[in-house]
Amino acid sequence: MSRQSEWAFGEQRAWVEAPDILWAKFRGAITLETSQWSCAVYREMATSGRFYLAADITGSHLSPESRGYLVDHAKPDWFRGIVYVGAGLDQKATTKSLMVRSMLSGGEPLDVQYVDTLEQARAWIEQHRAAKARHAG
């Protein structure tokens, strides 16, 4: 893989775990600039194919501008699935908007899960990957 494997923007961090998981940790106020940064990371990750996003968003807060940017610019077909750790109502609203966008654009439904711990996030990704492999044949 020639892509970058770690990114940082202020308090925010993201890193790759092979073969296809992007772990991210978001803290504090999530601004428009933060969403622009995260979408750039997601876009870069997607150049190598769809991936899982496992985002620890405990204690983060999306601004209305940030939420709007994510809904308008994050492409559901970049992701195999998304699992959020510590999601609040703002993050759930954004995720639901992304899922609706995917369905309205004729894309695959975006599988999203909300969990309380990183271990639960990892377990969900493993279960999701296994279920997709079974359905693929």
Side-chain angles (χ1 to χ4, degrees):
M1 257 183 255
S2 61
R3 68 181 176 215
Q4 188 170 333
S5 61
E6 291 187 36
W7 298 264
F9 182 79
E11 291 183 72
Q12 319 321 321
R13 300 283 180 270
W15 62 97
V16 176
E17 178 182 315
D20 62 355
I21 302 173
L22 178 67
W23 291 93
K25 185 178 282 193
F26 293 94
R27 293 294 182 261
I30 306 303
T31 63
L32 174 60
E33 293 79 12
T34 305
S35 288
Q36 291 169 335
W37 168 79
S38 62
C39 278
V41 171
Y42 305 156
R43 189 177 306 108
E44 181 177 341
M45 282 289 296
T47 62
S48 297
R50 296 178 81 180
F51 63 95
Y52 286 99
L53 172 62
D56 180 352
I57 54 178
T58 307
S60 67
H61 307 283
L62 288 167
S63 70
E65 298 82 11
S66 175
R67 183 171 36 255
Y69 187 89
L70 287 172
V71 169
D72 290 343
H73 293 89
K75 307 289 186 229
D77 61 351
W78 290 343
F79 306 100
R80 292 185 188 278
I82 300 175
V83 59
Y84 288 105
V85 179
L89 291 177
D90 285 354
Q91 292 89 349
K92 289 179 182 179
T94 299
T95 302
K96 291 184 189 316
S97 298
L98 288 170
M99 288 186 290
V100 168
R101 178 181 173 174
S102 176
M103 290 184 290
L104 292 177
S105 66
E108 280 186 39
L110 181 57
D111 294 329
V112 176
Q113 183 69 32
Y114 303 98
V115 299
D116 296 323
T117 68
L118 296 176
E119 293 78 19
Q120 290 171 336
R122 184 176 300 284
W124 181 82
I125 290 170
E126 290 171 9
Q127 292 166 357
H128 188 268
R129 189 188 316 278
K132 290 289 186 181
R134 280 194 304 274
H135 288 99

